[in-house]
Amino acid sequence: GKGRSFVPVYFVYDAPFTQKEDGSLDLTRMLSAMSLSDPAPIFWSPLSLCVNDKGELNPRSLVHGVGHMLGLPDLQDPKSPNGLSSPLGDTDPMGSGFGDHNPWSKFLLGWIRPRIITGNATLSLRPFADSGDAVLLGRNWNGSLYDEYLLLVYGTPGGLSYVDANVDGGALNGY
C-alpha cells in the first residue's frame, strides 16, 4: 500500500543443480527457482551456482541475481550451446561475465546520466570505470530508455571490470 516499503529477499538454498546430458545448463530448472513477486522481489539461487569446483565462494551468480532484483534483464543468449554466451562478450554480470554492470544497465537503473547528443559534436570521454562518463547518440531519440540510440563509453580494464577485461589499453564501447 501507499507509504509502505518492502525489502527484497535473496535466498540461497543447498539443493542439487545439474546439467543436461549434453553438458549444457538446465536453464529451465534454474529459471523456475526465480520469483519476482509484487510488491517485494524474492530471488532463489542454488548454492551450487554460488561456489566453484573447489567449494570456494563464486559471487557471479549472486551479483547476477541482485541485478534481477533491481529489475535488470538477462543478457545471456539462451540459444547458445551452453546457455551462457553473451552479446556483450562476457563482460557483464547480467550476461555470463563478472565485474561491474554495463553502461546500458546503469542507464536503465538511473545510475548514470549520459550527455545527450542529437547533432554534430566533438566529444571527449573519460574512462567509464573511473567517471561514469557516457554519451547518448540519438538524432531522433524520444527520451525513452527503450528507444533507438547508441550509448558510447570509453572502456578501460580498470575498476570492477578488471577481472573480465580483455583489452590492454582502452576502447570505445557501444551499447
Side-chain angles (χ1 to χ4, degrees), residues 12 47 49-52 54-60 62:
V12 177
L47 181 62
L49 285 178
C50 303
V51 295
N52 63 21
K54 298 176 184 176
E56 301 165 331
L57 179 63
N58 177 359
R60 291 175 188 241
L62 298 173

Side-chain angles (χ1 to χ4, degrees), residues 82-168:
N82 65 2
L84 291 179
S85 101
S86 171
L88 295 177
D90 300 334
T91 59
D92 185 86
M94 298 314 293
S96 54
F98 188 59
D100 202 359
H101 287 284
N102 73 68
W104 180 75
S105 293
K106 289 184 174 191
F107 186 39
L108 288 178
L109 294 170
W111 294 355
I112 65 167
R113 296 195 185 280
R115 290 178 282 161
I116 299 167
I117 310 296
T118 58
N120 295 334
T122 299
L123 303 172
S124 178
L125 288 167
R126 296 170 290 162
F128 182 77
D130 299 328
S131 67
D133 199 11
V135 295
L136 184 148
L137 304 178
R139 189 169 305 275
N140 297 313
W141 185 54
N142 67 9
S144 167
L145 297 172
Y146 298 101
D147 190 24
E148 291 184 19
Y149 55 85
L150 179 61
L151 189 64
L152 294 175
V153 300
Y154 177 56
T156 57
L160 293 174
S161 298
Y162 184 76
V163 174
D164 287 326
N166 55 10
V167 295
D168 291 330

